[in-house]
Amino acid sequence: MCAPWRPAPAGSGMQRAALTGVYGPLRGGARRRPVVSWPLVCLFHTGLRAFAADKELLVKLRKKTGYSFVNCKTALEKFSGDSKQAEAWLHEQAQKEGWSKASKLQGRKTKEGLIGLLQEGNAAVMVEVNCETDFVARNVKFQQLVQQAASGTMFHHHGAKDQLTTYTKHFMKAAELSQLRTGPAGCLLSDQLALAIGKLGENMAIKRAAWVAVPATYYIGSYVHGALPADNPSLTNIVLGKYGALVICQASEQSQKSNLADLGRRLGQHVVGMAPLSVGSLEDEPGGDMETKMLAQPFLLDPSITLGQYVQPQGVSVLDFVRFECGEDTEIPEAE
C-alpha cells in the first residue's frame, strides 16, 4: 500500500512545486482542485523500488562475475534484468575478448609465474603456470588460475589413486593440460587461461603438471619455497611459490608416524635447495656440493652428514621425487 501524501511545510520549495505540478497554476489567488490523483504518488514509490531492485541486481552480478559495473549494466539492460542470461552473455563476451588478446600476445616470453602444490590424502599435484611479470603473478586472478590448473589435474586423475600397490607419478604437458576441466561441471583450462589473459593483459601459459599417488604404507613429503602468505580466502588447500618439491617415501613399522609430515617437509627442502638429479642409494659414497645423487648429497640442514645418513635412522626409504622451479628451461619427462 502506498503511503498517504502530506503537503510540505508552508513556503517550502517542495510546496511551491506541489502547488504548480499537482494542483495546477493558481489564478486570482483561488486554490484549484487537484488535477492528478493518488496513483501518481504510488508510481513514484514503485519507481523507487524498481530502481533499488535494479541496483541490487547490478551489485550482485558485479560481485559474482568480477566484470565492470558498465559491462554488468549493459548485460542486464540487454536481457531486461534476467541475471542468468546476463551472466552467460558476459562470460561469452569475456571469452571472445580473452581469446583475441591471447592470440595477439602469443609469443611473448613468460618466465615469471608460480608453482602450485595441492595435496589430498595419498595424492598430490604440482603445477607450473607462467606469466610475463612478477606483478601479475601476485594478482589474485592469476593465482586462481594456478588453483584451477591444480584442481583440474587432480580431478583428471581422481579414480587412478585407488587400490595402488606401489607409488605412481604422471607428468602432463601444456597441450594435454589445456583440455582438462576444473571439475565435474567445470570449464576447460584453455578457456580459463584465455579469460585470465583477457583480464590481466599479459601472455600466460599453463606449462606443466605432475601428479603423484601412493598406497597406504607410503607417504608424500612436500615443500614450496617462496610461499605467498595465505591471505586470499578464495584459494583453498593450495600452496603457491617459486619452487616446489614432492618426495615419495616408504615408512617402516619402526618409523614414527607423527614425525612423517615434518620429515617430509625437510626432505622437500633438501630437494629444492640441492636440486638432485636422481635418488641414488645408501651404498653411494658421500659426495660434495656438486653431487647429483640425492642420498649421497650433504644434507641441506646439516652438511656434516649425507641425506642418506639422515634418513636411515628414521626408518624411512626415499623412493623418488619431483622438483619444479618456476621459469626453468627443461624437458618434461615421459610419464612413468
Side-chain angles (χ1 to χ4, degrees), residues 1-5 22 34-47 49:
M1 178 178 293
C2 299
W5 179 85
V22 179
V35 294
V36 292
S37 56
W38 296 117
L40 176 63
V41 182
C42 292
L43 288 173
F44 177 72
H45 286 284
T46 304
R49 288 198 297 271

Side-chain angles (χ1 to χ4, degrees), residues 3-199:
W5 179 85
R6 290 182 174 84
S12 71
M14 186 179 294
Q15 186 187 48
R16 289 194 295 273
L19 288 172
T20 304
V22 179
Y23 284 87
L26 300 178
R27 297 181 181 176
R31 183 184 297 273
R32 300 186 62 182
R33 298 186 65 179
V35 294
V36 292
S37 56
W38 296 117
L40 176 63
V41 182
C42 292
L43 288 173
F44 177 72
H45 286 284
T46 304
L48 280 178
R49 288 198 297 271
F51 174 76
D54 289 345
K55 187 175 181 181
E56 185 179 356
L57 278 176
L58 179 59
V59 170
K60 284 184 177 179
L61 187 61
R62 167 73 173 88
K63 186 175 181 180
K64 184 176 182 181
T65 64
Y67 300 119
S68 69
F69 276 108
V70 173
N71 288 338
C72 290
K73 184 173 182 293
T74 301
L76 287 171
E77 289 175 349
K78 182 178 178 67
F79 295 99
S80 304
D82 189 318
S83 58
K84 288 187 177 179
Q85 291 189 62
E87 182 181 348
W89 182 81
L90 282 169
H91 288 316
E92 182 182 348
Q93 297 305 306
Q95 198 71 64
K96 290 179 180 177
E97 183 182 350
W99 280 115
S100 176
K101 282 191 178 180
S103 179
K104 292 177 183 177
L105 298 175
Q106 191 174 13
R108 282 166 52 165
K109 292 183 179 179
T110 55
K111 286 293 187 180
E112 296 294 335
L114 289 171
I115 303 298
L117 192 152
L118 176 64
Q119 197 159 354
E120 294 181 358
N122 64 335
V125 163
M126 198 157 57
V127 298
E128 179 182 357
V129 183
N130 300 121
C131 57
E132 296 180 45
T133 65
D134 187 58
F135 177 77
V136 163
R138 294 180 176 277
N139 187 285
V140 172
K141 295 188 184 303
F142 179 81
Q143 294 170 9
Q144 288 172 339
L145 176 64
V146 180
Q147 184 178 47
Q148 289 166 341
S151 299
T153 305
M154 184 69 81
F155 172 71
H156 178 72
H157 291 95
H158 183 70
K161 65 181 181 179
D162 299 328
Q163 298 180 341
L164 292 174
T165 57
T166 186
Y167 79 90
T168 183
K169 67 178 180 177
H170 182 69
F171 294 92
M172 304 183 76
K173 299 182 181 181
E176 191 177 3
L177 286 167
S178 68
Q179 298 307 304
L180 298 186
R181 295 189 178 274
T182 56
C187 300
L188 288 173
L189 283 180
S190 57
D191 290 338
Q192 296 300 105
L193 176 64
L195 280 172
I197 291 174
K199 289 181 178 180

Side-chain angles (χ1 to χ4, degrees), residues 203-215:
N203 192 23
M204 300 175 196
I206 302 175
K207 182 180 180 180
R208 55 178 172 166
W211 173 79
V212 171
V214 298

Side-chain angles (χ1 to χ4, degrees), residues 139-141 143-144 229-236 240:
N139 187 285
V140 172
K141 295 188 184 303
Q143 294 170 9
Q144 288 172 339
D231 57 356
N232 183 358
S234 67
L235 301 174
T236 55
L240 304 171

Side-chain angles (χ1 to χ4, degrees), residues 178-319:
S178 68
Q179 298 307 304
L180 298 186
R181 295 189 178 274
T182 56
C187 300
L188 288 173
L189 283 180
S190 57
D191 290 338
Q192 296 300 105
L193 176 64
L195 280 172
I197 291 174
K199 289 181 178 180
L200 299 178
E202 276 196 10
N203 192 23
M204 300 175 196
I206 302 175
K207 182 180 180 180
R208 55 178 172 166
W211 173 79
V212 171
V214 298
T217 56
Y218 293 52
Y219 76 98
I220 304 170
S222 62
Y223 175 70
V224 172
H225 185 72
L228 300 175
D231 57 356
N232 183 358
S234 67
L235 301 174
T236 55
N237 302 326
I238 190 166
V239 186
L240 304 171
K242 293 296 184 181
Y243 301 81
L246 300 173
V247 185
I248 302 166
C249 302
Q250 186 173 19
S252 67
E253 294 181 359
Q254 291 75 32
S255 61
Q256 297 292 323
K257 304 295 184 183
S258 59
N259 297 331
L260 291 182
D262 186 52
L263 176 61
R265 174 181 170 81
R266 293 181 182 183
L267 294 176
Q269 285 177 313
H270 179 92
V271 170
V272 165
M274 298 298 289
L277 300 179
S278 64
V279 175
S281 71
L282 294 173
E283 285 71 38
D284 292 328
E285 290 294 324
D289 291 338
M290 301 304 292
E291 177 62 62
T292 62
K293 295 178 182 177
M294 182 178 175
L295 293 175
Q297 289 177 325
F299 181 36
L300 181 70
L301 302 180
D302 183 2
S304 67
I305 60 174
T306 66
L307 183 73
Q309 292 168 340
Y310 170 70
V311 298
Q312 192 172 21
Q314 312 277 349
V316 168
S317 300
V318 177
L319 305 178

